[in-house]
Amino acid sequence: SVVPTVAPAPAAASGGRDHMADAMAALARARSIAVSGVKPTDQGGSAMAVQPELNTLESQESGATLKKHGGGQSARAALMQKLAERAGLDMGGTPAAPAPPAEKAPPSPAKAQDDDKATASLLIHNCFDKDEETDADWWLDIKADMEEECGRFGKVLGLDVKHTVPGGMVSVSFQGKDEARKAKDVFQGRWFGERQLRVEYI
């Protein structure tokens, strides 16, 4: 008997068709990543979990994009590229590179001048009003609170609550200037209880 032969399928056209296939694959990956709160391994092939934004975007932009590129395969490829980019992908399917971080603004002249005067010790004003305190050894509670707060910035070598003079002052000495500078930046203008603090180097 004669075995019928099957003619080989014609080879796919290169160029525009390959680009179109890449674009379709990129869009498929974009839709997969856009699943809300579902990892790719947990999707189960369901299209119901896909966020509606891609569909909305496609419907809103497809007409304008296709018209701009004159229709045909190149226009569809341009649309797929645009949708993929909006989903955070390039045409190769890898996440788009993040934008470079913004450069940190230089310190103001006043801040730079203040930093030049930095020491390892601070005098913090307006921490309390001694005339309003009635408890025995009330200043020990303030000392414990301030030691805990200042300890967040580094090793505290000494802390003194000036409870016998007006001004609500607390002096604190750190191991180095960097710790004192960080503490000053945080405490300056901060509210401690119902009092706004003022800080200076000593």
Side-chain angles (χ1 to χ4, degrees):
S1 60
V2 178
V3 178
T5 60
V6 179
S14 60
R17 292 187 180 180
D18 291 342
H19 186 68
M20 184 63 181
D22 291 342
M24 293 295 291
L27 179 60
R29 287 190 292 270
R31 289 181 178 278
S32 175
I33 291 178
V35 173
S36 177
V38 180
K39 297 179 180 179
T41 55
D42 298 334
Q43 293 175 20
S46 173
M48 297 301 293
V50 176
Q51 291 179 344
E53 285 80 358
L54 281 177
N55 292 331
T56 302
L57 177 64
E58 183 177 359
S59 64
Q60 291 177 346
E61 296 185 353
S62 58
T65 304
L66 292 175
K67 183 177 180 180
K68 178 180 178 181
H69 292 271
Q73 292 181 348
S74 62
R76 292 187 180 89
L79 175 61
M80 300 305 175
Q81 173 74 41
K82 191 170 186 180
L83 294 174
E85 290 173 353
R86 291 289 291 271
L89 295 176
D90 60 21
M91 291 303 295
T94 57
E103 293 184 3
K104 187 177 180 180
S108 64
K111 177 68 166 59
Q113 184 178 10
D114 189 56
D115 286 345
D116 290 341
K117 300 177 182 178
T119 67
S121 298
L122 301 175
L123 183 62
I124 308 172
H125 298 261
N126 206 31
C127 297
F128 57 88
D129 185 343
K130 69 181 186 65
D131 296 330
E132 295 179 357
E133 302 293 343
T134 57
D135 294 339
D137 296 333
W138 55 268
W139 58 276
L140 294 177
D141 292 335
I142 293 177
K143 181 177 181 179
D145 290 342
M146 293 301 294
E147 284 177 340
E148 181 178 356
E149 289 289 326
C150 293
R152 296 162 45 202
F153 306 101
K155 186 176 181 179
V156 176
L157 302 182
L159 189 145
D160 180 34
V161 178
K162 301 184 181 300
H163 61 286
T164 61
V165 296
M169 296 177 288
V170 174
S171 63
V172 55
S173 296
F174 292 92
Q175 191 170 26
K177 293 181 180 180
D178 288 341
E179 292 89 340
R181 185 181 294 110
K182 293 176 183 177
K184 184 177 186 294
D185 289 344
V186 172
F187 288 150
Q188 189 72 275
R190 175 182 170 182
W191 291 87
F192 187 71
E194 297 181 355
R195 301 180 178 278
Q196 192 172 23
L197 304 181
R198 181 172 61 87
V199 189
E200 62 179 319
Y201 294 112
I202 56 175

